Amino acid sequence: MSAQTAFVLHSRPYRESSALVDFFTPEGRLRAVLRGARGKAGTLARPFVPLEVEFRGRGELKNVGRLDSAGQAYWLDGNALFSGMYLNELLIRLLPAEDAHPVMFDHYAASLPALAAKRPLEPILRSFEWRLLTELGYGFALDTDIAGQPIAGAGLYRLLPDTGLEPVGQFQPGLFNGAELLAMAEADWNVPGALAAAKRLMRQALAPHLGGRPLVSRELFMNIKEVPRD
């Protein structure tokens, strides 16, 4: 197999001196054994570093034949680091193995420098979640309801994850107002409440596909936020 641009999503020790590594490439998510992980290759095989990797083997578990740096590492810290971990965990949990998504790969590669540059996190995360849902075939319209009618700015809607947005006649918890949905459709985050509503909407949309298991990165982030500061 020829060399591919890749990022490490996750790595864990494997046998004596190897590592079992989940890579994200334009050809999809690949799992491979990296031998000699305690040497130079192991220092390169870490998240948020652009790599050029040659994979060998025809089975589901590949072997890393060659691994080189393909650019400068993106230094993430604080909330940006937790956000990068969140993106990686979403890809591991939701992307089928060896299912090519080159558009998603490009979006991921563009998200890392945005995180490293300390740009506002919420728009980056919401855009990534929406792109991932769309790429996997789980997306839905934000400007029309399940009957094909335009979203009304003054209307109330609930999400049916398998089909889309359904108009609701009276208020109940968990609803979205039409103005927020239309702002999401245009990625206009200046509309009051749009970002908070987008976060709720993406959680509702992702939940059925995560199989009921909580995201470790999300729980870790919440625990860190709750640690008292002196």
Side-chain angles (χ1 to χ4, degrees), residues 1-219:
M1 185 180 290
S2 60
Q4 300 184 53
T5 306
F7 288 94
V8 170
L9 298 177
H10 184 261
S11 177
R12 63 179 184 272
Y14 182 70
R15 294 181 177 171
E16 291 185 1
S17 60
S18 299
L20 197 60
V21 185
D22 284 293
F23 291 95
F24 186 32
T25 80
E27 297 301 313
R29 180 176 59 83
L30 305 177
R31 180 165 292 177
V33 175
L34 175 65
R35 305 190 188 283
R38 296 176 184 173
K40 179 183 175 182
T43 63
L44 280 176
R46 51 193 175 86
F48 319 128
V49 179
L51 301 169
E52 186 175 87
V53 186
E54 182 181 302
F55 297 99
R56 297 175 181 169
R58 296 183 178 275
E60 187 171 320
L61 183 61
K62 315 291 185 189
N63 287 292
V64 175
R66 179 174 62 82
L67 183 149
D68 295 301
S69 173
Q72 188 173 359
Y74 297 109
W75 177 254
L76 306 184
D77 60 3
N79 291 346
L81 174 59
F82 287 110
S83 297
M85 293 166 59
Y86 172 68
L87 301 189
N88 285 3
E89 190 174 7
L90 281 180
L91 292 171
I92 291 173
R93 293 276 296 272
L94 296 180
L95 273 187
E98 300 190 49
D99 189 11
H101 285 280
V103 172
M104 194 69 236
F105 180 86
D106 290 344
H107 193 89
Y108 176 82
S111 297
L112 296 184
L115 291 173
K118 309 285 188 187
R119 285 172 48 189
L121 295 177
E122 295 293 329
I124 297 171
L125 298 181
R126 303 296 81 80
S127 174
F128 188 88
E129 292 163 337
W130 181 248
R131 173 69 69 177
L132 183 56
L133 284 166
T134 302
E135 279 288 304
L136 294 175
Y138 304 140
F140 48 89
L142 290 167
D143 56 359
T144 58
D145 64 23
I146 57 175
Q149 297 301 308
I151 294 293
L156 291 172
Y157 299 85
R158 65 181 172 193
L159 176 64
L160 304 179
D162 292 334
T163 50
L165 296 159
E166 179 183 50
V168 177
Q170 60 185 24
F171 179 80
Q172 52 187 273
L175 298 183
F176 302 90
N177 71 56
E180 295 168 344
L181 295 168
L182 292 173
M184 291 180 217
E186 298 294 329
D188 182 0
W189 306 122
N190 293 316
V191 173
L195 267 177
K199 185 173 185 176
R200 286 195 299 113
L201 183 69
M202 289 300 98
R203 284 203 175 190
Q204 290 183 24
L206 287 166
H209 311 296
L210 291 171
R213 288 191 297 127
L215 288 161
V216 175
S217 53
R218 184 183 289 164
E219 289 195 330

